[in-house]
Amino acid sequence: MGRLEDRNVAFVRTVVSSGLRLQEAASLLTFEVPKRRLGGGRYYRGKIAAAVTRSKKQRTYYVSSDAVGDVESYAASSRAWVIRRAQKAGRYDRLPEMRMLIEVTRGLKPKVRWCDQDGVIGEQELSLLTWQERILLFEEGPHGPEPLWLWLNERGLPFLPSSWENVFRTANKRCERILTPPEHLRRDPHQVFAPYATVHSGRHSFALYMLVVLNYLMDQRFGLTPEERRDFRLLYGDPWFMVQNLLGHSSRETTVKHYLAPVADLQLRAMLASTDDDPAEAPMPELDAVFARIARESEGIQDIDSRLVPAAGNAA
């Protein structure tokens, strides 16, 4: 993974813990990632701009404290290093277009104000900025212009969303090369020894993990009676509805279609849907055991470090 390993780790952990799509996670600006604070909890909340989502609707996303910590470490190390190199090389001074940030307004619909290279002032609602417009945004740092685009390449320039596919492709090939034993030692020449992941696998992992955890919390940790569970679902929606909103799906059916099917062999429809059984009479196994069982008995699911990782993602 080279000198930008911390960038790649931070990106993967952001996707896995938030369920963001490739373009959504790849288009983040530095100030759109929540900042960790003392006593802030395990998850932090942020906003995804409408222009970079598939539905073109702004939504709230949640990202783990560990992932935010990875982003902050990346920003303070390799990201700062490539920016300083680019400044010394005069790379930003030669860009054909740059918009220097003046301010980001407060309120329900924050606006970004900037000044271009000709001194012309521009303004746009933050949520309506496309990824192509976001790439042009810079701020004045202690040593010169610095990109507001979070993920940068080794030249200190914005790392395009499509480039992440190649990062994963390279990592998959490396895993296959290292983990696949020599041909003369294989019992089955067609056996797969290495995991295979895509950016979208992280989104799938998030969805499946949240479905299991939310149902577990509702049925076990909260200790709700069947009547209380029904009332809870009427007020807040069942886990399928919650995950639908987290993923930004337009309908519950889309969520069920894409995330129930991979685990149909385990009859998780009954386990995850509402039930009239008292959970105290039939407690769910420990979550790690549930995840391992799903991976073991379901086609297309890999178990990596006690997490569900679909073997191949789709466009959900």
Side-chain angles (χ1 to χ4, degrees), residues 27-32 79 92 95 97-104 111-116 122-126 129-140 145-150 152 156 158:
S27 303
L28 287 169
L29 300 176
T30 53
F31 59 80
E32 290 180 310
R79 187 179 190 276
Y92 300 141
L95 291 175
E97 188 174 1
M98 175 190 293
R99 296 175 177 179
M100 191 64 65
L101 181 72
I102 297 175
E103 68 169 337
V104 180
K111 292 185 178 181
V112 176
R113 297 183 68 239
W114 66 80
C115 180
D116 68 16
E123 182 180 277
Q124 177 61 285
E125 187 177 326
L126 174 61
L129 287 172
T130 65
W131 71 266
Q132 293 92 339
E133 293 173 316
R134 289 162 167 264
I135 282 177
L136 304 176
L137 290 173
F138 283 71
E139 64 180 345
E140 191 63 48
E146 297 183 4
L148 282 168
W149 186 270
L150 177 60
L152 306 178

Side-chain angles (χ1 to χ4, degrees), residues 20 24 58 65 85 105 108 124 127 146 151-152 163 216 218 238 244 255 268:
L20 294 177
E24 294 167 349
Q58 179 179 271
S65 175
R85 287 185 65 207
T105 65
L108 294 177
Q124 177 61 285
S127 189
E146 297 183 4
W151 313 108
L152 306 178
S163 299
Y216 177 81
M218 185 176 292
D238 65 9
Q244 172 197 333
T255 310
L268 277 185

Side-chain angles (χ1 to χ4, degrees), residues 26-45:
S27 303
L28 287 169
L29 300 176
T30 53
F31 59 80
E32 290 180 310
V33 179
K35 303 297 182 184
R36 283 196 304 178
R37 59 188 184 278
L38 188 64
R42 294 177 59 191
Y43 277 81
Y44 289 86
R45 181 175 62 185

Side-chain angles (χ1 to χ4, degrees), residues 23-216:
Q23 186 162 290
E24 294 167 349
S27 303
L28 287 169
L29 300 176
T30 53
F31 59 80
E32 290 180 310
V33 179
K35 303 297 182 184
R36 283 196 304 178
R37 59 188 184 278
L38 188 64
R42 294 177 59 191
Y43 277 81
Y44 289 86
R45 181 175 62 185
K47 290 286 186 182
I48 286 295
V52 301
T53 68
R54 178 172 297 177
S55 64
K56 303 306 176 189
K57 294 180 180 179
Q58 179 179 271
R59 77 174 190 275
T60 299
Y61 75 96
Y62 295 85
V63 61
S64 72
S65 175
D66 289 343
V68 172
D70 289 331
V71 171
E72 291 176 351
S73 296
Y74 156 63
S77 54
S78 68
R79 187 179 190 276
W81 179 71
V82 297
I83 288 175
R84 191 71 186 107
R85 287 185 65 207
Q87 290 169 336
K88 289 181 177 179
R91 218 163 274 142
Y92 300 141
D93 299 329
R94 297 192 296 271
L95 291 175
E97 188 174 1
M98 175 190 293
R99 296 175 177 179
M100 191 64 65
L101 181 72
I102 297 175
E103 68 169 337
V104 180
T105 65
R106 295 177 177 271
L108 294 177
K109 295 184 177 181
K111 292 185 178 181
V112 176
R113 297 183 68 239
W114 66 80
C115 180
D116 68 16
Q117 290 154 309
D118 296 323
V120 178
I121 304 298
E123 182 180 277
Q124 177 61 285
E125 187 177 326
L126 174 61
S127 189
L128 299 182
L129 287 172
T130 65
W131 71 266
Q132 293 92 339
E133 293 173 316
R134 289 162 167 264
I135 282 177
L136 304 176
L137 290 173
F138 283 71
E139 64 180 345
E140 191 63 48
H143 302 288
E146 297 183 4
L148 282 168
W149 186 270
L150 177 60
W151 313 108
L152 306 178
N153 62 22
E154 288 194 4
R155 292 172 53 81
L157 301 174
F159 196 64
L160 300 183
S162 59
S163 299
W164 285 108
E165 299 286 5
N166 188 54
V167 171
F168 276 73
R169 194 159 38 244
T170 301
N172 285 325
K173 290 180 179 178
R174 183 166 177 262
C175 288
E176 183 179 6
R177 185 174 65 252
I178 294 173
L179 299 177
T180 301
E183 190 171 349
H184 68 278
L185 296 178
R186 301 181 210 168
R187 292 183 178 180
D188 180 359
H190 302 293
Q191 183 178 356
V192 177
F193 294 91
Y196 184 85
T198 65
V199 181
H200 209 73
S201 296
R203 181 170 163 87
H204 276 273
S205 298
F206 166 82
L208 294 172
Y209 181 76
M210 290 303 293
L211 281 170
V212 174
V213 169
L214 287 172
N215 278 278
Y216 177 81

Side-chain angles (χ1 to χ4, degrees), residues 204-273:
H204 276 273
S205 298
F206 166 82
L208 294 172
Y209 181 76
M210 290 303 293
L211 281 170
V212 174
V213 169
L214 287 172
N215 278 278
Y216 177 81
L217 290 175
M218 185 176 292
D219 289 343
Q220 294 288 94
R221 185 173 174 182
F222 292 168
L224 303 178
T225 66
E227 293 75 17
E228 288 171 334
R229 288 204 305 277
R230 281 194 290 270
D231 292 341
F232 187 92
R233 287 184 170 96
L234 285 173
L235 285 172
Y236 302 108
D238 65 9
W240 287 106
F241 177 76
M242 297 178 189
V243 173
Q244 172 197 333
N245 287 332
L246 289 171
L247 294 174
H249 283 161
S250 58
S251 70
R252 173 192 170 105
E253 287 70 26
T254 301
T255 310
V256 173
K257 173 185 176 183
H258 288 288
Y259 298 105
L260 181 64
V263 291
D265 292 340
L266 293 180
Q267 297 180 329
L268 277 185
R269 185 186 301 274
M271 186 177 81
L272 297 180

